[in-house]
Amino acid sequence: MIWIELLVVLFFIFLGSKMGGIGIGYAGGAGVVVLTLIFGLEAGSVPVDVILIIMAVISAIAAMQRAGGLDYLVHLSEKILRKNPKRVTFIAPTVTYWMTLLAGTGHTAYAALPVITEVAKEGNIRPSKPLSISVVASQIAITASPISAAVVIFASFLEPLGVSYLQLLGVAIPSTILACMVGAIVANRLGKPLSEDPVYQERLKAGLVKQKSGERQENSKSSKYSVAIFGAAILIIVTYASLISKKVGLIADPTIGRNHAIMAIMLLAAMVIALVCKIKLSDIPGMSTFKSGMSACICVLGVAWLGDTFVSNHIEEIKEAAGGLLNQYSWLLAIVLFFASMLLYSQAATTTALMPAALALGVSPLAAIASFAAVSALFVLPTYPTLLAAVEMDDTGSTKIGKYVFNHSFIIPGTVTIAASVAFGFLFGSMIL
């Protein structure tokens, strides 16, 4: 029966991926119904803390967006990019990486993509070079963000094994930063210079390429205040997590745990932004970040619940079948996570669905942390929103989706970046853990 039940799980994951967006969450819930009511399995655990953290963080990000904070971050990014247009392939992914690291969501990249395209054209650089690695950097940074759902989930799995939240960040941040630079080196070597590209020349003659836009408006004080408040909240979260960690131990008996502290501090930050910046609260649910975040909650609920229902009922069989292989070849976990995230379309959902099973099979914390970046292979199928946005915004025609689905502009830089991050993860993990 286990194989039939596995087919049921895969069927609903496939169905959800075909539906797109929030559909993966719907399909996950439907799969739980089939497994429990038809096959008689006990329902798995619902990732309540994860969902609540996403809601709290997104509510603060949406408040910051309403106050103009994201526009201010883009304004700063544009200044940095325009100072070195010839190095845009290296600076652009750095910008999108840190925007995601700060915000805990890769959707912040949307606002930076038009600026990256414009600066690349001004420097006679194929926009596909900086755009491809920038999209990848915005996705892989999720696995290094102190407030992303994926990191918080994974940290909760590692703590019983003696690995702290700070140790996870200590490995993930340098590994992913360096990997993005490796990906940028590869992206920078792909394709002809823009002036030699026949597709670009044709589009230029046809008047399909936009010229430089005018100067953007200066940002208000409220936008700057919102970014400062949100940044302070992240600093408080990281500091508090350090103080209550067993490694530091300055607060031996905390009155509030790390996960609950993240929720409370993010809600506090949202309230302070609302009061200081005097934003209209009824506008917050209409923000794009709020909508995408709430959709992520449904996706995590459905797919993580489905995955846990199957794994928790068959953990012994899974250990017997795959435990030895993963113990002997721990790098295989990265490959499993890579292909799983292609379908699940969420770092948090992939982490929640597969990491507990991997750790239960005896995969070492070092191998799990090193492989963690592989949950960011959302770029493999050319249907992810930020990827499509990059293709749409590049009016030179250099960023494209090929005829054979996988031969698109993002596949090589993305695969190289994840492979490099896994390698760096093993390196830094062996020094830190």
Side-chain angles (χ1 to χ4, degrees):
M1 292 297 292
I2 186 174
W3 294 108
I4 298 175
E5 291 160 7
L6 177 60
L7 286 174
V8 170
V9 172
L10 295 176
F11 168 76
F12 280 104
I13 289 175
F14 175 76
L15 179 62
S17 66
K18 293 292 286 183
M19 292 173 66
I22 204 171
I24 190 71
Y26 293 161
V32 172
V33 171
V34 173
L35 290 180
T36 54
L37 298 185
I38 297 178
F39 289 88
L41 301 187
E42 289 187 18
S45 301
V46 176
V48 176
D49 270 10
V50 176
I51 294 169
L52 294 179
I53 287 170
I54 295 174
M55 292 174 67
V57 171
I58 287 298
S59 69
I61 292 172
M64 179 175 67
Q65 182 183 14
R66 179 61 185 86
L70 292 185
D71 291 335
Y72 177 60
L73 288 176
V74 173
H75 175 70
L76 294 178
S77 303
E78 183 174 8
K79 281 187 172 181
I80 296 169
L81 288 166
R82 289 195 183 283
K83 284 182 180 178
N84 296 282
K86 294 295 182 182
R87 300 182 183 274
V88 66
T89 306
F90 297 92
I91 297 173
T94 305
V95 166
T96 56
Y97 179 95
W98 284 102
M99 287 177 70
T100 297
L101 194 82
L102 172 67
T105 171
H107 294 292
T108 54
Y110 287 121
L113 295 179
V115 178
I116 293 169
T117 304
E118 193 172 283
V119 172
K121 287 191 293 186
E122 291 171 15
N124 191 33
I125 293 170
R126 290 174 67 87
S128 62
K129 295 181 179 183
L131 285 175
S132 60
I133 188 59
S134 295
V135 167
V136 171
S138 72
Q139 294 175 357
I140 204 170
I142 289 290
T143 61
S145 171
I147 56 171
S148 75
V151 167
V152 173
I153 298 162
F154 193 30
S156 67
F157 297 154
L158 292 171
E159 281 179 344
L161 302 175
V163 179
S164 71
Y165 172 70
L166 293 179
Q167 286 177 307
L168 170 58
L169 293 177
V171 176
I173 292 175
S175 298
T176 50
I177 289 175
L178 289 175
C180 287
M181 291 302 97
V182 173
I185 291 171
V186 172
N188 202 41
R189 293 177 176 274
L190 299 175
K192 299 177 181 178
L194 190 60
S195 58
E196 299 175 16
D197 189 331
V199 175
Y200 167 67
Q201 296 299 334
E202 288 177 12
R203 293 179 66 84
L204 191 63
K205 289 178 183 177
L208 298 175
V209 179
K210 297 177 184 176
Q211 302 304 312
K212 181 179 176 180
S213 61
E215 292 294 319
R216 290 169 173 80
Q217 286 186 320
E218 191 67 33
N219 293 273
S220 65
K221 286 185 178 180
S222 292
S223 64
K224 299 174 184 178
Y225 290 154
S226 68
V227 171
I229 293 165
F230 192 82
I234 294 175
L235 184 61
I236 292 169
I237 287 170
V238 174
T239 303
Y240 182 74
S242 304
L243 295 176
I244 67 173
S245 69
K246 292 180 181 179
K247 301 290 182 182
V248 178
L250 290 180
I251 302 177
D253 189 21
T255 54
I256 183 171
R258 188 197 65 244
N259 288 3
H260 288 174
I262 293 174
M263 299 176 207
I265 292 168
M266 281 290 118
L267 292 174
L268 170 63
M271 184 195 75
V272 175
I273 290 172
L275 292 174
V276 171
C277 302
K278 298 178 181 179
I279 61 176
K280 192 175 180 182
L281 294 179
S282 59
D283 291 342
I284 291 178
M287 296 292 101
S288 59
T289 51
F290 189 90
K291 293 176 181 177
S292 63
M294 293 307 116
S295 295
C297 288
I298 301 298
C299 293
V300 169
L301 168 62
V303 76
W305 196 8
L306 174 62
D308 191 72
T309 297
F310 176 77
V311 171
S312 62
N313 280 271
H314 296 293
I315 188 62
E316 294 304 321
E317 295 98 317
I318 294 172
K319 281 183 180 179
E320 185 178 343
L325 189 62
L326 279 176
N327 280 327
Q328 188 174 358
Y329 304 104
S330 54
W331 51 268
L332 285 174
L333 176 60
I335 296 176
V336 172
L337 296 173
F338 184 93
F339 286 104
S341 62
M342 285 170 49
L343 296 175
L344 297 181
Y345 262 32
S346 165
Q347 291 94 335
T350 305
T351 303
T352 308
L354 296 179
M355 278 301 191
L359 294 170
L361 291 173
V363 173
S364 68
L366 169 59
I369 293 172
S371 303
F372 185 37
V375 303
S376 296
L378 282 58
F379 57 83
V380 176
L381 295 175
T383 52
Y384 197 74
T386 48
L387 185 153
L388 293 174
V391 173
E392 184 66 26
M393 290 176 187
D394 182 6
D395 54 7
T396 68
S398 68
T399 308
K400 52 196 171 186
I401 297 170
K403 296 179 181 179
Y404 305 106
V405 181
F406 295 104
N407 60 329
H408 52 75
S409 301
F410 308 83
I411 191 71
I412 294 176
T415 303
V416 168
T417 301
I418 286 184
S421 185
V422 172
F424 285 129
F426 276 105
L427 174 65
F428 288 112
S430 63
M431 294 189 290
I432 293 173
L433 299 182

Short mmCIF file of all heavy atoms in Angstrom, two decimals, residues 88 100 123 148 173 280 308 420 422:
data_model
loop_
_atom_site.label_atom_id
_atom_site.label_comp_id
_atom_site.label_asym_id
_atom_site.label_seq_id
_atom_site.Cartn_x
_atom_site.Cartn_y
_atom_site.Cartn_z
N VAL A 88 27.25 45.35 -13.35
CA VAL A 88 25.86 45.11 -12.95
C VAL A 88 25.59 43.62 -12.73
O VAL A 88 24.76 43.26 -11.89
CB VAL A 88 24.89 45.69 -14.00
CG1 VAL A 88 25.00 44.97 -15.33
CG2 VAL A 88 23.45 45.66 -13.48
N THR A 100 16.11 40.36 -0.19
CA THR A 100 15.40 39.17 0.27
C THR A 100 15.83 38.80 1.68
O THR A 100 14.99 38.43 2.52
CB THR A 100 15.68 37.98 -0.67
OG1 THR A 100 15.17 38.29 -1.95
CG2 THR A 100 15.04 36.71 -0.16
N GLY A 123 24.86 50.03 -20.04
CA GLY A 123 26.24 49.57 -20.04
C GLY A 123 26.56 48.62 -21.17
O GLY A 123 27.62 47.99 -21.16
N SER A 148 12.92 34.32 7.38
CA SER A 148 12.15 33.54 6.40
C SER A 148 11.55 32.31 7.05
O SER A 148 12.11 31.75 8.01
CB SER A 148 13.04 33.12 5.22
OG SER A 148 13.90 32.06 5.60
N ILE A 173 24.55 31.94 5.42
CA ILE A 173 24.79 33.27 4.84
C ILE A 173 26.07 33.32 4.01
O ILE A 173 26.02 33.69 2.83
CB ILE A 173 24.78 34.36 5.94
CG1 ILE A 173 23.35 34.50 6.51
CG2 ILE A 173 25.26 35.70 5.39
CD1 ILE A 173 23.24 35.46 7.68
N LYS A 280 -2.67 54.08 6.23
CA LYS A 280 -4.06 53.65 6.31
C LYS A 280 -4.10 52.12 6.41
O LYS A 280 -3.72 51.42 5.46
CB LYS A 280 -4.82 54.13 5.07
CG LYS A 280 -6.33 54.00 5.17
CD LYS A 280 -6.98 54.61 3.93
CE LYS A 280 -8.50 54.50 4.01
NZ LYS A 280 -9.14 55.06 2.79
N ASP A 308 3.74 15.38 5.70
CA ASP A 308 3.91 14.83 7.05
C ASP A 308 2.96 13.66 7.28
O ASP A 308 3.31 12.71 8.00
CB ASP A 308 3.67 15.91 8.10
CG ASP A 308 4.09 15.47 9.49
OD1 ASP A 308 5.31 15.38 9.73
OD2 ASP A 308 3.21 15.17 10.31
N ALA A 420 27.28 25.27 -6.00
CA ALA A 420 28.35 25.95 -5.28
C ALA A 420 27.97 26.17 -3.82
O ALA A 420 28.81 26.02 -2.92
CB ALA A 420 28.66 27.30 -5.95
N VAL A 422 25.99 24.32 -1.96
CA VAL A 422 26.08 23.03 -1.26
C VAL A 422 27.55 22.74 -0.92
O VAL A 422 27.88 22.33 0.20
CB VAL A 422 25.48 21.89 -2.11
CG1 VAL A 422 25.76 20.53 -1.47
CG2 VAL A 422 23.97 22.10 -2.27
#
